[in-house]
Amino acid sequence: MTQRKIIIDTDPGQDDAVAILVALASPEDIDVLGITCVAGNVPLDLTTRNARIVCELAGKPEVRVFAGCDRPLGRDLVTAEHVHGKTGLDGPDLPEPTMAMADGHAVDFIIDSLRDHAPGTVTLCPLGPLTNIATALQKAPDIARRIAKIVLMGGGYFEGGNITPAAEFNIYVDPEAADIVFKCGAPIVVMPLDVTHKALVTKDRNDAFRDIGSPVGIAVAQMTEFFERFDKEKYGSDGAPLHDPCVIAYLIQPDLFQGRHINVEIETHSELTMGMTVADWWGVTDRAPNATFMNGIDADGFFDLLTARLARL
Ligand code: RIB
Ligand code: CA
């Protein structure tokens, strides 16, 4: 696998944290150009704090962390402290960050990175609401054709939603942004609830994280133990779905996943289904396919990969 240059756009969030850790543990596969933070699970001041906590936990204080948009394009921010806790990174007791934020706005970093690197060499990995990505596309439409791929966590079809019956959180928070991204023309790979709900952190899998025995392994086990109580109570599942690391695992080992290249459009008008990813899985429309929508995963292989990479830190 050749090394892929990526920008992680994120709203940490325990599952975002695991995704960031795995990416930083995989230099032979991934060159993290920077981490851009967005308001989502918790407000921006906390997502920027949490992203730096995770970089320092990984022993990578040199990673550039940028602050981005602090609210959606056209609606009030909806957060998810009920899932992630009041800090957004509840679970482990980790020290406050000492590394500085990078200068400049996240949106400008995204634009400049895409313009400074050859077309088709930078992959965007959104793990939260798509506000930063959409704002960059609005400000610099030329970047759309320079994006190698957008690999994002968001949406759901057979699984429905997790914040409303119809919508998944990342898309629901900023549906207008998601609409811009899904129509931008760049190649898109979607990790929706249909696949992430098959990536459950069972007790054995979480024990494997803890048994790494390092500060990273123990912290990840504590994060997922905190994070899972919401989903286990809601779905009666055997553990929490580890949503965002599916994005990074795809970059490293794409054959862990199966899906279809289909048309996906975003509901931006109906309050009842606001933020729904209308996935034409059965090809019943003549709408052009614009995204590879995943719904299968080798869950054991996924967790083996995560555990092996986290053990490197
Ligand atoms: O719906 C799950 C998504 O919303 C994940 O990215 C989680 O971190 C939250 O951002
Ligand atoms: Ca997230």
Side-chain angles (χ1 to χ4, degrees), residues 23-41:
L24 295 178
S26 306
E28 73 271 42
D29 300 298
I30 294 170
D31 175 8
V32 179
L33 299 178
I35 293 175
T36 52
C37 300
V38 68
N41 285 319

Side-chain angles (χ1 to χ4, degrees), residues 11 15-16 41 84 127-128 153 162 168-170 193 243-244:
D11 64 334
D15 59 320
D16 304 67
N41 285 319
H84 298 274
L127 310 178
M153 191 278 143
N162 60 0
E168 177 278 328
F169 179 80
N170 288 340
L193 300 178
H243 305 285
D244 294 336

Side-chain angles (χ1 to χ4, degrees), residues 5-271:
K5 296 183 186 331
I6 76 168
I7 294 172
I8 299 175
D9 191 74
T10 180
D11 64 334
Q14 289 88 349
D15 59 320
D16 304 67
V18 179
I20 293 166
L21 290 167
V22 173
L24 295 178
S26 306
E28 73 271 42
D29 300 298
I30 294 170
D31 175 8
V32 179
L33 299 178
I35 293 175
T36 52
C37 300
V38 68
N41 285 319
V42 286
L44 183 67
D45 64 320
L46 284 173
T47 59
T48 54
R49 165 193 179 263
N50 296 342
R52 287 177 291 154
I53 286 176
V54 174
C55 287
E56 291 184 334
L57 173 65
K60 309 280 186 184
E62 70 279 6
V63 174
R64 291 182 294 173
V65 177
F66 295 85
C69 299
D70 64 359
R71 73 201 63 196
L73 294 182
R75 54 188 60 241
D76 293 338
L77 178 62
V78 172
T79 52
E81 288 88 347
H82 61 292
V83 179
H84 298 274
K86 64 178 174 44
T87 71
L89 209 57
D90 284 23
D93 182 15
L94 297 170
E96 289 302 308
T98 56
M99 62 185 279
M101 290 295 295
D103 292 334
H105 195 283
V107 168
D108 295 324
F109 173 72
I110 292 167
I111 294 168
D112 293 345
S113 298
L114 287 164
R115 286 176 171 164
D116 293 346
H117 290 86
T121 60
V122 177
T123 297
L124 303 182
C125 298
L127 310 178
L130 292 164
T131 316
N132 286 342
I133 312 300
T135 304
L137 287 162
Q138 286 180 317
K139 188 172 181 181
D142 62 287
I143 64 171
R145 61 181 174 275
R146 303 182 68 89
I147 299 168
K149 193 171 284 190
I150 299 173
V151 187
L152 68 90
M153 191 278 143
Y157 180 60
F158 295 102
E159 280 294 293
N162 60 0
I163 188 77
T164 75
E168 177 278 328
F169 179 80
N170 288 340
I171 309 299
Y172 178 74
V173 168
D174 200 341
E176 286 79 11
D179 189 45
I180 289 168
V181 171
F182 275 79
K183 289 176 177 171
C184 78
I188 298 176
V189 174
V190 184
M191 293 291 168
L193 300 178
D194 300 41
V195 71
T196 68
H197 279 188
K198 297 170 183 172
L200 300 180
V201 189
T202 60
K203 183 180 182 311
D204 288 351
R205 288 165 175 166
N206 209 39
D207 287 347
F209 289 151
R210 184 180 292 103
D211 292 348
I212 293 170
S214 64
V216 167
I218 292 164
V220 165
Q222 292 170 335
M223 284 183 204
T224 49
E225 271 169 359
F226 180 88
F227 173 67
E228 74 177 6
R229 78 211 188 293
F230 173 77
D231 285 275
K232 284 176 81 169
E233 191 176 310
K234 177 175 177 180
Y235 297 107
S237 55
D238 190 20
L242 212 45
H243 305 285
D244 294 336
C246 290
V247 168
I248 304 303
Y250 173 82
L251 301 180
I252 299 170
Q253 206 174 326
D255 61 3
L256 287 172
F257 300 91
Q258 301 83 39
R260 281 185 189 175
H261 191 59
I262 61 172
N263 177 269
V264 179
E265 300 209 2
I266 310 298
E267 177 59 69
T268 58
H269 296 292
S270 157
E271 281 308 319

